[in-house]
């Protein structure tokens, strides 16, 4: 059995909490291909710029994304593309759940 290290598990939980919002998951997915400015990310949703900025700030605090300023614009990029592997694992769970639900209906 692996010993319980509260510090390590709290740090992991903080990263998972940063991803635990639909908009933040969408942002991570959008940033997988290229660096984008906040204005481009706002154009892809019906969410206002301040809300997108707050979500990006949470992702930045945990090291998932980083930013750079160019003039008045702030560009974000995904620092941890390996997180996308976790998201594909989530999709696998969702597919299995859907199959199990449809099997129960039959």
């Amino acid at each position: 059995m692996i010993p319980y290290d509260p510090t390590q598990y709290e740090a992991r939980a903080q990263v998972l909490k940063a991803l635990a919002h639909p908009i933040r998951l969408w942002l991570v997915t959008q940033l997988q291909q290229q660096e984008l400015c906040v204005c481009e990310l706002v154009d892809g949703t019906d969410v206002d710029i301040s809300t997108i900025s707050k979500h990006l700030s949470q992702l930045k605090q945990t090291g998932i994304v980083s930013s750079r300023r160019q003039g008045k614009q702030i560009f974000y990029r995904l620092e941890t593309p390996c997180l996308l592997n976790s998201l594909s694992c989530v999709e696998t769970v969702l597919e299995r759940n859907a199959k199990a639900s449809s099997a129960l209906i039959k």
Side-chain angles (χ1 to χ4, degrees), residues 59-75:
L59 293 170
K60 186 176 176 183
Q61 286 175 355
T62 55
I64 295 170
V65 302
S66 63
S67 66
R68 69 175 178 86
R69 182 176 290 278
Q70 184 175 327
K72 292 184 178 184
Q73 293 183 323
I74 301 175
F75 289 84

Side-chain angles (χ1 to χ4, degrees), residues 16-74:
L16 293 172
K17 285 178 189 178
L19 292 170
H21 191 280
I23 292 292
R24 289 193 293 271
L25 286 172
W26 179 82
L27 289 167
V28 168
T29 304
Q30 297 310 301
L31 295 170
Q32 73 180 334
Q33 298 298 323
Q34 63 184 352
E35 179 181 79
L36 295 168
C37 75
V38 175
C39 60
E40 291 170 309
L41 292 164
V42 169
D43 288 344
T45 68
D46 59 353
V47 179
D48 63 81
I49 193 166
S50 65
T51 302
I52 292 291
S53 293
K54 287 177 188 175
H55 285 301
L56 288 165
S57 177
Q58 287 183 285
L59 293 170
K60 186 176 176 183
Q61 286 175 355
T62 55
I64 295 170
V65 302
S66 63
S67 66
R68 69 175 178 86
R69 182 176 290 278
Q70 184 175 327
K72 292 184 178 184
Q73 293 183 323
I74 301 175

Side-chain angles (χ1 to χ4, degrees), residues 9-21:
Y9 285 95
E10 178 60 33
R12 289 176 178 175
Q14 290 304 314
V15 172
L16 293 172
K17 285 178 189 178
L19 292 170
H21 191 280

